């Protein structure tokens, strides 16, 4: 990862003189500007930024990468360290920070979510979300690694003409003529100046390493875009696995692709440029399966760009991250963003490991060839070229001894390097199969990969038993068998162990994630440039691939949001989010509470937020918690951010906080996060406003459930809505009746029950200081 580009200047005064060296380090920075300082002499923001740089003796032709206007007021530039003080001291500059590098967070889904089948049955069209007819006027903007436009998932058969209001473009580039766009793929752009600046103009310009165009070499962007809005494709599968009709959540919606992610990740300057152009193009939904860390919103380009998008009525969904099950591992926690965690489907790809002692253990596999079930094969573990090193136990590159591995099954521990790379290492060392065992952190979560050799992935408990057998047996052997695709798996959904968790460290009074969607073993379209593993030596090609991550769950929510946008074009982004959250479910297909795959115990709202998305119920939520731009500004003011930082995020020219929430938790959010502190914080009081989007004459009564150490009082206990659009306010007082401990946590629910609807809000409790 290159944070800066350094140039070394050597000056030789004479053959006898000392060598003088000067190191000048340049780095990309994002600069936020106060538009109140722009005068009529500069008719556009771009001209103003250029003039500003010239006034500081900085040549925009050499230094300026991007000029932003829709997402933020500001620009990205490659700057020397000595130029930074000049910028920061200028009154027109609100904030300056380095360009961050963010990682990507890397079909059965529509059926599992209860969406209409394709083609929909005539009897289902009146009372359910009909993806055949819905969302043809909705454009989903996907910020990712680009697109493989030839994929059948982007065919435009049966779609009407592109909406007249659409202002996007299909930018030509390397191996990407503009003619590749159509009525499905309505836009494709590429943003790589931040990436090339960080790479020093070297490898970033090599087409073999990366396409200098919207074309997707990685596959990640093609997968996420088709998950959100891919067209129906019959007989889709990965090497025979998960076969059936593959389609996106909103197959009638249009897709606009903004390539902002490259070989080594996604730079903030490129992400902002993508959001900036997506807003100008006129997208309705933004889907970003990327993010990193828990930075303050003023230093988070995704949060800043998303704020402007939501201001324009654009729904923004982002992945929560793949750093679970660790607590406080979330990313993309701004309240105007819908933060999406991951759960499983009711589909699996079972495999069996049978040991020489007769024991059998269940696992998963996407093995594309014959298994190892004809005869027992010797198994080895930790047979490395360096005696005593643990690296061979993880099957890291160059660590296995071919003389001890050839013709054997290798037992590998999960961790450190990529799962698929372990399979390549085993194959190159002469191994004929692999047993991949989870660590305690991964628990019993089983993620299937299309390895280069027969492989069975097993959970931590099975892995411990197999490992003991291999270590203690004088002649350990095993057979691997594979059972293809199995449907109707119970229990499901289960919260994925990798899905990032709360509590929220940026704003503790805000409960995140918001909800979960399918994100484990998801089949979707794939790039023609790489094999299913993404490894350079994988010469297999497939039009579809199976992947796991919150990267996969995010576009599920983006697609469902597009359906809601089509059904309710007058709803705000926060109303759509509220509908998704308050109708989410928390019981699996056995009727039991959702399980956490990390340890097998019941999951909590820190893992699943409000629950698992239910598209059909979200269509008619009854009531919604709506939030406007003024509410978000009052929220930012309550965080004690500086005026400059608030202006940078919001593009506001107002220098004062005319309205400030008494507590960040008083934002009109569909969930609650209660933080008890010192004696004065033994009780917390929050207010909420509900808007009726159901029918006139609706009556709702409140029901509260929670831990024994907290008393919850809601006033009033009944809400009577005489008309649609009416807003009613209620107050909740949370009182801690116990002496808390910083490690204490608890959860509950506040539910408004009407004749037809249940409007549910999760509540999390923490005791920071007793």
């Amino acid at each position: 990862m290159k944070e800066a580009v350094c140039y070394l200047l050597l000056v030789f005064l004479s053959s006898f003189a000392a060598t003088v060296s000067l190191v000048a380090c340049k780095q990309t920075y994002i600069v936020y500007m106060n538009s109140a300082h722009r005068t009529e002499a500069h008719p556009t923001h771009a001209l103003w930024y250029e003039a500003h740089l010239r006034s500081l003796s900085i040549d925009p032709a050499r230094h300026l990468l991007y000029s932003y206007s829709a997402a933020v007021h500001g620009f990205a530039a490659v700057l020397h360290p000595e130029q930074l003080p000049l910028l920061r001291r200028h009154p027109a500059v609100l904030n300056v920070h380095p360009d961050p590098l963010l990682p990507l967070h890397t079909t059965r889904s529509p059926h599992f979510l209860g969406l209409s089948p394709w083609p929909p049955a005539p009897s289902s069209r009146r009372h359910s979300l009909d993806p055949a007819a819905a969302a043809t006027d909705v454009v989903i903007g996907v910020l990712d690694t680009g697109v493989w436009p030839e994929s059948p998932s982007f065919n435009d058969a049966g779609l009407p003409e592109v909406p007249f209001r659409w202002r996007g473009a299909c930018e030509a580039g390397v191996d990407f003529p503009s003619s590749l766009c159509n009525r499905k793929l309505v836009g494709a752009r590429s943003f790589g100046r931040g990436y090339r600046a960080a790479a020093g103009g070297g490898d970033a310009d090599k087409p073999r390493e990366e396409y200098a165009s919207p074309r997707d070499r990685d596959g990640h962007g093609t997968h996420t875009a088709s998950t959100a809005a891919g067209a129906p494709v019959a007989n889709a599968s990965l090497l025979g696995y998960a076969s059936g009709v593959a389609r996106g959540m909103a197959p009638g919606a249009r897709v606009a692709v903004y390539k902002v992610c490259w070989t080594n990740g996604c730079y903030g300057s490129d992400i902002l440029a993508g959001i900036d152009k997506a807003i100008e193009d006129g997208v309705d939904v933004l889907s970003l399966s990327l993010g990193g860390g828990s930075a303050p919103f003023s230093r988070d380009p995704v949060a800043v760009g998303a704020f402007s998008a939501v201001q324009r009525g654009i729904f923004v969904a982002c992945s929560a991250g793949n750093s679970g099950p660790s607590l406080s591992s979330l990313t993309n926690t701004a309240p105007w963003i819908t933060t999406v965690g991951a759960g499983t489907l009711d589909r699996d790809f079972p495999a069996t490991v049978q040991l020489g002692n007769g024991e059998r253990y269940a696992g998963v596999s996407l093995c594309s060839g014959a298994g190892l079930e004809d005869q027992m094969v010797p198994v080895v573990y930790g047979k490395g070229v360096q005696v005593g090193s643990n690296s061979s136990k993880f099957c890291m590159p160059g660590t296995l001894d071919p003389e001890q591995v050839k013709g054997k099954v290798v037992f590998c521990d999960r961790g450190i390097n990529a799962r698929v790379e372990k399979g390549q290492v085993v194959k190159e060392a002469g191994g004929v199969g692999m047993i991949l065992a989870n660590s305690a952190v991964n628990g019993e979560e089983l993620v299937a990969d299309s390895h280069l050799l027969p492989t069975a992935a097993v959970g931590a408990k099975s892995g411990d038993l197999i490992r003991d057998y291999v270590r203690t047996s004088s002649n350990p052997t095993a057979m691997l068998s594979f059972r293809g695709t199995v449907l109707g798996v119970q229990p499901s959904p289960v919260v994925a162990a990798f899905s990032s968790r709360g509590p929220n460290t940026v704003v503790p009074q805000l409960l995140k994630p918001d909800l979960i969607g399918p994100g484990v073993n998801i089949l979707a379209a794939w790039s023609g440039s790489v094999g299913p593993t993404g490894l350079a030596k994988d010469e297999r090609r497939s039009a579809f691939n199976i992947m796991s991550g919150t990267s996969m769950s995010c576009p599920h929510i983006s697609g469902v949001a597009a359906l809601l946008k089509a059904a309710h074009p007058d709803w705000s982004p926060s109303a759509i989010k509220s509908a998704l959250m308050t109708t989410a479910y928390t019981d699996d297909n056995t009727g039991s509470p959702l399980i956490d795959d990390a340890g097998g115990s019941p999951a909590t709202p820190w893992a699943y937020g409000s629950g698992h998305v239910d598209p059909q119920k979200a269509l008619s939520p009854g009531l919604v918690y709506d939030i406007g731009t003024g509410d978000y500004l009052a929220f930012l003011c309550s965080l004690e951010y500086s005026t400059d930082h608030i202006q940078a995020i919001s593009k506001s020219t107002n220098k004062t906080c005319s309205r400030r929430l008494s507590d960040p938790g008083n934002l009109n959010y569909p969930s609650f996060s209660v933080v008890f502190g010192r004696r004065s914080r033994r009780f917390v009081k929050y207010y909420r406003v509900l808007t009726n989007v159901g029918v006139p004459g609706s009556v709702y009564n409140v029901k509260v459930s929670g831990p024994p150490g907290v008393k919850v009082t809601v006033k009033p206990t009944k809400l009577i809505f005489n008309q649609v659009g009416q807003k009613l306010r209620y107050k909740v007082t949370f009182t801690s009746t116990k002496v808390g401990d910083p490690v204490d946590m608890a959860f509950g629910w506040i539910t408004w029950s009407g004749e037809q609807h249940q409007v549910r809000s999760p509540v999390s409790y923490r005791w920071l200081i007793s």
Side-chain angles (χ1 to χ4, degrees), residues 324-327 342-344 440-445 461 491 493-502 516 586 588 592-608 745:
S326 299
L327 295 179
T344 64
V441 171
N442 309 122
E444 301 309 304
E445 171 185 74
K461 295 177 182 177
V494 172
V495 178
F498 61 73
S499 188
S500 289
R501 314 300 168 93
I516 63 172
T586 56
D588 60 31
S592 302
L594 293 179
I595 296 298
D596 191 330
D597 221 359
S601 59
T604 74
W606 282 354
Y608 58 63
M745 58 182 178

Side-chain angles (χ1 to χ4, degrees), residues 457-498:
V458 298
K461 295 177 182 177
S462 296
D464 290 343
L465 295 171
I466 298 172
R467 188 186 299 106
D468 288 342
Y469 164 74
V470 176
R471 279 173 163 171
T472 59
S473 175
S474 59
N475 181 32
T477 58
M479 288 195 304
L480 308 181
S481 58
F482 311 112
R483 293 172 48 202
T485 304
V486 173
L487 304 178
V489 173
Q490 294 183 336
S492 63
V494 172
V495 178
F498 61 73

Side-chain angles (χ1 to χ4, degrees), residues 372 377-381 405 407-411 426 431-435 478 480:
L372 297 173
V377 179
V379 185
V380 295
Y381 174 59
V405 168
K408 299 180 175 68
V409 171
V410 180
F411 183 95
V426 172
V432 297
M434 179 173 70
I435 301 170
L480 308 181

Side-chain angles (χ1 to χ4, degrees), residues 30-36 38 42-50 64-76 94 167 191 193 269-281 304-309 311-312 314 647-653:
I30 298 174
V31 182
Y32 300 86
M33 302 287 287
N34 186 343
S35 61
R38 180 167 71 94
H42 307 110
T44 68
H45 284 90
L47 292 174
W48 176 43
Y49 304 149
E50 292 175 7
L64 186 64
L65 297 181
Y66 294 112
S67 294
Y68 309 122
S69 59
V72 296
H73 290 154
F75 57 88
L94 296 171
R167 299 181 296 275
F191 303 88
R193 296 175 191 171
S269 57
D270 296 331
I271 294 170
L272 268 179
I275 297 176
D276 196 71
K277 187 56 68 175
I279 294 173
E280 292 181 354
D281 288 345
V304 174
F307 189 97
S308 292
Q311 272 186 309
R312 303 285 190 95
I314 300 169
Q647 288 181 289
I649 296 169
S650 64
K651 298 193 302 180
S652 171
T653 58

